[in-house]
Amino acid sequence: MLPAASSPLQAIFSRLRPVSLNALTLALATGGAAALLPASAAAQDLTRTPGTAPITEAPPEPAPATEEAVPVAFEADVVEYDENGESVTASGNVVLRRDGQSVRADSVTWNRTSGKILANGNVRLVDERGNQVFSDEVELTDELKTGMLENLLLVLREGGRLAAKDGQRLGNGDVILNHAAYTGCSVVGRGECPKEPTWKVVAKSVTYSEAEQRVRFSDARLELFGALQLPLLGLTISTDGDAVSGFLIPDLRSSPSNGIEVGIPYYWKIDKNRDITGTLHLFTESAPMGSVEYRALTDKGAYQITGYATSSERIPIYGATGSPTGSSAFRGYVEANGKFQLSEHWSVTGFLRRATDRTFLRRYDISRDDRLRSLVELERIDAKSYLSIAGYATQTMQSTRDQGQIPIALPAIDYRRRFKDPVAGGRIETQLNALALTRTDGQDTQRAFASAQWSRREVTGMGQIVTATALVRGDIYHSDENYGTNTFLYRGQPGWQTRGVALAALDVEWPMVGEVFGGQQVLTPRVQFVAAPDTPNLSIPNEDARAIELETSNLFALNRFPGYDRIEDGTRMTYGLDWRFERSRWRITSQIGQSIRMSGDDNIAPDGTGFTGTFSDIVGRTELRYRNFVRLIHRFRLDKSSLAVRRNEIDAVIGNSKTYIEVGYTDLNRNIYTVDLPDDSELGRVEDLRDRQELRAAGRVAFARHWSVFGSAVINLTDASEDPVTRSDGFQPLRTRFGASYEDDCLRVGFTWRRDYISNGDARSGNSFLISFSLKNIGLH
């Protein structure tokens, strides 16, 4: 009598007769007989072997497969039956497959007396998730799971290796590994030579839960560069790439405002689509601070919310009347953003940024933005139309701005529609726009307009590209408390104002292609004519067309003012030249142009912007690229009368992603104070049009394969002759940074020094230090 089969593997071997078979494949069903499928023509007659009687009885029909009885595929070169030892041995490229799992070994032996199944020699097990186990010897269970293991190596699908001296499977399915080591680093160097990993986690025991896809370390230590060892408490990693709850590596930094800071973060994986990270920030010279970041992914979209809270000394920087040493107060910051796709065409987007005071973000090195914008927007987009219904508010972080003068926009509505059927061969697009701006301490403005634009583009037989455009628009405005706006040019007349706008334009481009310098060039002369009747601009409040300056990006625009509140009226001609050169690895593009005003208001904008007068200033831009190694951009504006350089900007990047240098230089010499306009004392308040010079530099140098040094600096070169209100002496460093880092395939360590030269309330100037540390494939950073 044969013992009863109690597992899929036992069912496989229990049906075998005492034969020795070469080059065969077995298609097996749990609980049923084995149907022998020949792997070659030489293996077709398998019913008898030398010294044995012929098999006369037909095998019974296999039992149907169930969830508990999953079919097993079995392959081997040779199967031998030891009648005396009551064992069956499959050898030579043995492969077992079941339900997405596989086992490969030199041999697999089933002892029919003890029921033990052993896989020996170069054993490799692959589970349904793609994780691999390599071992010298493995005891298998009835589901191709491991029992006892010797000298094993676990290679995770998501990266990482776990080696152990031995291991065993517990009754609940967990595997206990003894004297284990884990690393996320490559263990093979150049030339496929073995190498010592940069870091590894060693532990006396490791528990691997296949059900939870988690590896938990007990009595673990982190070993860096084969020498430094650091204790790790409660370390858990995942084998499926999923995040694991637990403490992260602390942040360590130092700042002149708060002293030494230690940030202790804890990550909580709430669900597959939600997590939260809480951090306790401890300072030597300030009260503790807490921060929380919550993230969620839904079937409609995603959102996240971040908040900071503390109580510390605060020194107001606007309208301050209290003690210059500050007073203790609750301080914090909240930031949230998200987007949800409600349907195929509808979506809603929102973000919120709000701080309790103007220096909190800079003092705690969270952000250096000078304004915080919050917005909510509902959008509908299809092939023919666009609708946006939005509202937004801005909080200033600048010491010179009055928060009451900054508007809240609610609502801000914009609707556009493009019509498919052409009219007179051209395309028509309509627009409806409405905006309401409210200030707590200043001018309130409401605006609405409707417009229609027709455009037609044709290519002539000689290759000229001709574009004709016509625009009509009707505006209605209402404003009050206009004298709350300090700048005369922005106020407009109080009460109701209306305006009609009509515009016609003809734009002609003539690209000419030819060969030069071993490459191909395209030379494109361009001329544009624009005509619009006189428009009562100064009676209309200017809310969105303030930051004006002529440059190549708006030289050929129909209205060279940004926004809608100012219209460039009159008749003008604009001419320019575009040049593009391309050769293997090289590309150069250049533009230059100027406009001539033949009628209209010459003083619609300050002279320093380049618009005023019969002739505009000359503007140009050149960009040079060599492969991905060199990129140089130069922008300029020349005075129309003296050819003095009113704007000179250079941005250069040389190098690759590892070693590079970036240099930026800006020189703005607008000569804004020489303009003769009403209320001249207020012209310095016309947005940010003061003269200034600035130098920016940044770079990184990689060396010794994994090391790099980096740095950056921003220097204010403006002096009193350029800007009478500046405090700079012509060389004023604003911020400098220098650091070094090590990064390989599994470890990143960095040290950064930064110096801020300007104090702002309780955000003090001085030196700051930051130490960063990250282990890849382990979730510690």
Side-chain angles (χ1 to χ4, degrees), residues 218-501:
S218 178
D219 194 9
R221 302 183 311 279
L222 174 64
E223 186 176 292
L224 295 173
F225 301 102
L228 179 63
Q229 293 192 358
L230 303 172
L232 293 175
L233 301 178
L235 175 63
T236 301
I237 64 173
S238 68
T239 61
D240 57 2
D242 197 10
V244 180
S245 300
F247 285 98
L248 306 179
I249 292 180
D251 296 326
L252 181 62
R253 67 178 67 194
S254 173
S255 68
S257 299
N258 304 303
I260 297 176
E261 174 189 352
V262 178
I264 306 174
Y266 182 84
Y267 175 81
W268 179 22
K269 182 70 174 181
I270 303 173
D271 206 341
K272 290 185 178 297
N273 65 329
R274 295 179 297 145
D275 60 27
I276 189 170
T277 302
T279 305
L280 176 62
H281 305 264
L282 302 176
F283 308 94
T284 58
E285 298 182 12
S286 185
M289 180 177 68
S291 65
V292 174
E293 180 186 42
Y294 176 80
R295 303 183 301 177
L297 176 66
T298 72
D299 57 349
K300 296 292 186 180
Y303 66 96
Q304 65 177 18
I305 304 172
T306 303
Y308 296 81
T310 187
S311 178
S312 63
E313 300 292 324
R314 181 180 65 184
I315 301 177
I317 60 174
Y318 180 84
T321 58
S323 170
T325 60
S327 58
S328 181
F330 171 80
R331 310 180 69 183
Y333 168 69
V334 62
E335 177 178 350
N337 60 77
K339 182 171 184 177
F340 300 92
Q341 194 69 38
L342 305 180
S343 65
E344 179 183 359
H345 301 298
W346 288 93
S347 67
V348 60
T349 303
F351 52 85
L352 169 69
R353 300 184 70 190
R354 196 74 181 176
T356 56
D357 56 85
R358 305 191 187 197
T359 60
F360 177 81
L361 296 179
R362 179 163 295 192
R363 169 172 178 169
Y364 291 98
D365 204 18
I366 299 171
S367 170
R368 294 183 173 273
D369 294 340
D370 59 4
R371 60 180 65 89
L372 306 179
R373 194 163 183 247
S374 301
L375 173 142
V376 60
E377 181 178 29
L378 177 67
E379 289 181 294
R380 188 188 187 280
I381 304 175
D382 60 27
K384 299 179 181 179
S385 65
Y386 170 79
L387 171 64
S388 170
I389 303 174
Y392 61 85
T394 303
Q395 181 184 12
T396 182
M397 299 288 104
Q398 297 176 339
S399 60
T400 58
R401 297 293 301 272
D402 181 1
Q403 181 64 48
Q405 288 283 337
I406 298 177
I408 299 172
L410 186 69
I413 303 173
D414 189 50
Y415 175 74
R416 306 182 189 202
R417 183 173 181 83
R418 181 179 299 167
F419 292 88
K420 181 178 179 181
D421 297 331
V423 176
R427 184 183 65 187
I428 292 182
E429 181 176 316
T430 58
Q431 182 180 7
L432 299 173
N433 185 281
L435 175 68
L437 299 177
T438 304
R439 293 177 173 87
T440 59
D441 184 19
Q443 179 174 333
D444 297 335
T445 302
Q446 299 84 43
R447 175 195 75 197
F449 71 78
S451 70
Q453 179 174 312
W454 172 89
S455 61
R456 178 176 179 179
R457 185 175 183 268
E458 297 288 345
V459 179
T460 69
M462 297 183 63
Q464 295 97 341
I465 303 173
V466 181
T467 304
T469 306
L471 171 72
V472 293
R473 198 177 91 188
D475 303 349
I476 182 170
Y477 281 78
H478 179 268
S479 59
D480 54 31
E481 300 185 35
N482 297 56
Y483 288 97
T485 298
N486 294 326
T487 304
F488 169 78
L489 294 175
Y490 298 160
R491 291 174 184 166
Q493 297 298 320
W496 292 96
Q497 304 291 332
T498 59
R499 177 175 64 182
V501 177

Side-chain angles (χ1 to χ4, degrees), residues 151-153 162-167 176-182 200-207 217-219 221:
N151 191 21
L152 67 94
L153 171 65
L162 179 63
K165 180 180 178 182
D166 54 58
I176 302 296
L177 306 177
N178 300 314
H179 303 288
Y182 171 81
K200 61 183 177 182
V201 177
V202 296
K204 287 186 177 180
S205 66
V206 172
T207 302
F217 294 79
S218 178
D219 194 9
R221 302 183 311 279

Side-chain angles (χ1 to χ4, degrees), residues 735-748:
R735 187 166 61 254
T736 55
R737 182 174 68 107
F738 181 80
S741 67
Y742 172 93
E743 182 172 4
D744 58 23
D745 63 302
C746 61
L747 173 67
R748 183 171 63 247

Side-chain angles (χ1 to χ4, degrees), residues 7-218:
S7 72
L9 285 179
Q10 292 170 354
I12 293 172
F13 292 112
S14 65
R15 301 290 179 172
L16 293 178
R17 296 296 184 263
V19 294
S20 177
L21 305 174
N22 296 317
L24 59 83
T25 300
L26 301 179
L28 305 167
T30 302
L36 304 185
L37 304 180
S40 65
Q44 290 183 4
D45 186 6
L46 303 178
T47 60
R48 57 186 296 135
T49 59
T52 63
I55 303 175
T56 58
E57 60 176 328
E61 292 295 325
T66 64
E67 292 185 1
E68 292 78 13
V70 180
V72 177
F74 176 81
E75 299 177 15
D77 292 342
V78 177
V79 175
E80 297 177 337
Y81 173 67
D82 184 356
E83 188 172 2
N84 296 326
E86 287 294 317
S87 65
V88 178
T89 300
S91 60
N93 298 314
V94 183
V95 179
L96 306 176
R97 294 188 180 91
R98 178 184 186 272
D99 196 23
Q101 307 169 79
S102 68
V103 178
R104 188 270 174 207
D106 292 343
S107 67
V108 174
T109 301
W110 174 51
N111 188 301
R112 300 177 63 181
T113 303
S114 63
K116 183 180 294 185
I117 302 172
L118 291 178
N120 286 278
N122 298 313
V123 181
R124 185 186 72 173
L125 299 92
V126 182
D127 67 16
E128 60 275 14
R129 295 179 176 86
N131 300 312
Q132 302 180 65
V133 175
F134 298 86
S135 182
D136 294 337
E137 182 179 279
V138 175
E139 179 181 332
L140 298 174
T141 69
D142 58 348
E143 296 178 345
L144 297 190
K145 307 298 184 181
T146 57
M148 297 295 297
L149 306 99
E150 295 289 340
N151 191 21
L152 67 94
L153 171 65
L154 172 62
V155 180
L156 305 179
R157 183 194 65 181
E158 300 296 331
R161 293 167 171 260
L162 179 63
K165 180 180 178 182
D166 54 58
Q168 62 180 345
R169 179 179 292 274
L170 303 180
N172 61 1
D174 291 351
V175 178
I176 302 296
L177 306 177
N178 300 314
H179 303 288
Y182 171 81
T183 184
C185 306
S186 173
V187 295
V188 178
R190 294 181 177 179
E192 298 301 318
C193 297
K195 73 169 186 176
E196 184 71 16
T198 306
W199 63 264
K200 61 183 177 182
V201 177
V202 296
K204 287 186 177 180
S205 66
V206 172
T207 302
Y208 168 54
S209 173
E210 185 178 11
E212 299 179 3
Q213 292 295 293
R214 295 291 184 268
V215 177
R216 295 180 174 84
F217 294 79
S218 178

Side-chain angles (χ1 to χ4, degrees), residues 443-641:
Q443 179 174 333
D444 297 335
T445 302
Q446 299 84 43
R447 175 195 75 197
F449 71 78
S451 70
Q453 179 174 312
W454 172 89
S455 61
R456 178 176 179 179
R457 185 175 183 268
E458 297 288 345
V459 179
T460 69
M462 297 183 63
Q464 295 97 341
I465 303 173
V466 181
T467 304
T469 306
L471 171 72
V472 293
R473 198 177 91 188
D475 303 349
I476 182 170
Y477 281 78
H478 179 268
S479 59
D480 54 31
E481 300 185 35
N482 297 56
Y483 288 97
T485 298
N486 294 326
T487 304
F488 169 78
L489 294 175
Y490 298 160
R491 291 174 184 166
Q493 297 298 320
W496 292 96
Q497 304 291 332
T498 59
R499 177 175 64 182
V501 177
L503 180 149
L506 183 67
D507 194 307
V508 181
E509 303 174 65
W510 194 358
M512 294 175 284
V513 182
E515 295 183 356
V516 66
F517 306 129
Q520 190 176 66
Q521 67 172 338
V522 180
L523 186 67
T524 307
R526 183 177 181 183
V527 62
Q528 180 193 63
F529 298 91
V530 179
D534 292 343
T535 301
N537 276 295
L538 294 183
S539 65
I540 301 296
N542 183 2
E543 297 281 7
D544 65 2
R546 298 180 177 184
I548 52 175
E549 185 167 3
L550 187 66
E551 54 186 19
T552 55
S553 63
N554 62 8
L555 178 65
F556 287 94
L558 297 179
N559 180 32
R560 295 183 290 194
F561 282 89
Y564 301 103
D565 292 337
R566 288 290 179 265
I567 297 293
E568 192 174 2
D569 55 8
T571 305
R572 69 178 186 270
M573 179 184 72
T574 304
Y575 54 91
L577 187 67
D578 294 353
W579 181 65
R580 185 174 78 247
F581 170 76
E582 292 188 3
R583 183 182 173 180
S584 176
R585 302 180 178 181
W586 287 91
R587 186 175 68 184
I588 303 174
T589 58
S590 185
Q591 303 91 35
I592 189 171
Q594 185 184 32
S595 65
I596 302 175
R597 183 185 300 276
M598 291 170 280
S599 67
D601 186 359
D602 290 346
N603 295 320
I604 189 174
D607 188 43
T609 61
F611 282 95
T612 55
T614 301
F615 290 88
S616 75
D617 287 349
I618 301 170
V619 294
R621 180 184 186 275
T622 298
E623 179 177 353
L624 181 148
R625 285 179 178 263
Y626 174 71
R627 302 177 67 180
N628 289 325
F629 188 75
V630 176
R631 184 188 182 196
L632 174 67
I633 299 177
H634 178 229
R635 306 176 187 87
F636 67 89
R637 178 161 62 88
L638 304 180
D639 189 277
K640 56 183 175 291
S641 301

